[in-house]
Amino acid sequence: MTISTVGFIGLGKMGSGFVSRLIDEGYAVVGYDIEAAHCEAAKARGAEIADSPAAVAARADLIQICVTTSAAVEAVVLGENGIAEVAQDGGKVVVDHSTTELETTRHLAAELERRNGMAFVDAPVSGGPGAAAEGRLAIMAGGTTEAIAAVTPIMERLGQFTHMGEVGAGQATKLINQALVLSNYCVIAEACNLGNRFGIDVSKIPEALSSGYAGSNLLNDLLPRMVENDFEPRGYARQILKDLHMLQDAANALNVAMPMAGMANSLYSMLIAQGKGELDGAAIVTLLEDQARQGNA
C-alpha cells in the first residue's frame, strides 16, 4: 500500500498534533472537523480541508480518525456523508485513534468491510498532543495482519506502534492504559497534597524520585502542572470521566473488580459536578485541596 495523501478527521487538540507530524514527515493531508476554527488552524499548517468525512475518504490513501466519543466515530464512519458512503475500495484502511467502545469498534469494522471493502484498525493512543506532534505516541492497535502491515510504515513515524491482536484489541489495551494512568492521576494528586501539607518543595519530587520505583513519565509531566495550578487542558477532565465510565462498563461486563479505577471514577464525577469539566485532568488536585481546607475549617 503506497500512502502519499493521508485523510484526518478530527482536528482538535490531538488531531492538530497528528496533522503537524504528518506534514513534517512529508505527507499531504486532507482534513475535516465539525468546528470551523479547527479546520482553519489545520489549513494554516498546510492541510487541505474537505467538506465531509466521505470527501476525505475519497481523496486519501489512508483515513485516520481522532474524535471524542464512540457516537462521533460512528457518525464519521456510518453517518450521512460518512466514510462508508465512498465507493468500494478494498485498498484503503481506516485507522481510529479515538478511545472507542469495544462493541462499537467491532461493529464499525464489520460494517465498513461489508459496505465498501475498507479495512478498519483500532489504534488508540497515549501521550497527549505534544507527543503526537513529536512522533512519541504509544499506539496500541487491533486489526488483521494485512491491515496492520499496510499502516505500519506511517504509524511508526507517529510513535511506538504495537499490534495487540484482532479488531478491538487496541481498544482493550487502551482501557488497560486508562486504568493505570487515570488511577495514578488521583494518586499523584494525593501525593502533591500530602507534600504541601508537610511544607516541602513539592516541585522537587520528580527529581528526588527519578531513579527509584516511583519515578515515571506521568509523574514528571503531571506533578509540575499540579504544583503550578496549570490546568490549561491538554485533555479535558470530562473526557477522563467518559473514559472511566467506559472502563467501568467493560469491567462490569466481564465481572472484573476495578476498585482503584472505581475510586478515580467517583473523584472525577465530583470534579465534574463542581463545574470543572473543561479543565485539564490535573485539576483533580483541587478536589483534594478543597477537602483538606474543609477539614481544617
Side-chain angles (χ1 to χ4, degrees):
M1 179 181 181
T2 301
I3 300 172
S4 58
T5 300
V6 178
F8 209 97
I9 300 166
L11 303 172
K13 291 183 180 297
M14 283 298 297
S16 64
F18 271 106
V19 168
S20 293
R21 178 66 176 179
L22 289 165
I23 290 172
D24 288 346
E25 289 294 310
Y27 293 98
V29 176
V30 54
Y32 172 79
D33 195 284
I34 60 173
E35 296 289 342
H38 295 168
C39 292
E40 287 303 313
K43 186 175 180 180
R45 294 186 190 94
E48 295 183 47
I49 302 300
D51 61 7
S52 70
V56 170
R59 294 167 59 184
D61 305 308
L62 168 72
I63 305 100
Q64 295 173 257
I65 305 169
C66 190
V67 294
T68 56
T69 67
S70 297
V73 179
E74 187 161 8
V76 164
V77 177
L78 302 181
E80 184 178 359
N81 294 318
I83 295 169
E85 293 188 2
V86 175
Q88 287 274 338
D89 192 334
K92 294 186 179 183
V93 180
V94 175
V95 180
D96 178 24
H97 296 297
S98 318
T99 300
T100 305
E101 293 169 348
L102 281 164
E103 289 308 310
T104 299
T105 292
R106 292 170 180 142
H107 171 66
L108 294 179
E111 280 295 294
L112 197 62
E113 172 67 25
R114 183 181 69 82
R115 295 190 192 189
N116 65 9
M118 290 185 188
F120 189 93
V121 171
D122 56 300
V125 300
S126 181
E134 296 169 9
R136 296 185 290 104
L137 290 168
I139 310 172
M140 49 223 82
T144 65
T145 301
E146 295 78 13
I148 294 294
V151 304
T152 292
I154 191 169
M155 292 298 118
E156 288 182 341
R157 298 191 182 197
L158 301 175
Q160 175 65 44
F161 182 60
T162 307
H163 184 199
M164 297 301 298
E166 294 300 314
V167 168
Q171 296 298 345
T173 307
K174 179 60 182 288
L175 289 179
I176 293 168
N177 178 84
Q178 299 304 71
L180 292 165
V181 171
L182 302 181
S183 297
N184 270 299
Y185 266 58
C186 300
V187 171
I188 291 171
E190 284 187 349
C192 181
N193 186 48
L194 180 63
N196 286 331
R197 296 296 298 279
F198 278 140
I200 65 172
D201 184 350
V202 179
S203 68
K204 292 183 178 180
I205 290 292
E207 177 185 358
L209 305 184
S210 62
S211 61
Y213 288 133
S216 70
N217 291 338
L218 185 61
L219 182 68
N220 293 341
D221 176 77
L222 194 61
L223 189 64
R225 292 194 274 132
M226 290 180 172
V227 170
E228 297 296 328
N229 291 320
D230 175 11
F231 306 135
E232 179 68 23
R234 281 73 162 175
Y236 297 102
R238 57 176 166 78
Q239 289 178 281
I240 285 180
L241 183 59
K242 179 266 293 183
D243 286 1
L244 286 166
H245 285 166
M246 193 182 302
L247 171 62
Q248 202 68 57
D249 288 344
N252 288 343
L254 296 170
N255 293 317
V256 173
M258 301 285 292
M260 298 299 292
M263 180 57 71
N265 195 332
S266 296
L267 291 172
Y268 272 98
S269 294
M270 294 167 65
L271 186 71
I272 303 308
Q274 291 183 353
K276 297 178 180 178
E278 298 303 308
L279 298 179
D280 188 83
I284 195 67
V285 72
T286 65
L287 187 69
L288 301 177
E289 290 169 347
D290 290 344
Q291 291 176 333
R293 281 192 289 269
Q294 291 169 10
N296 290 331

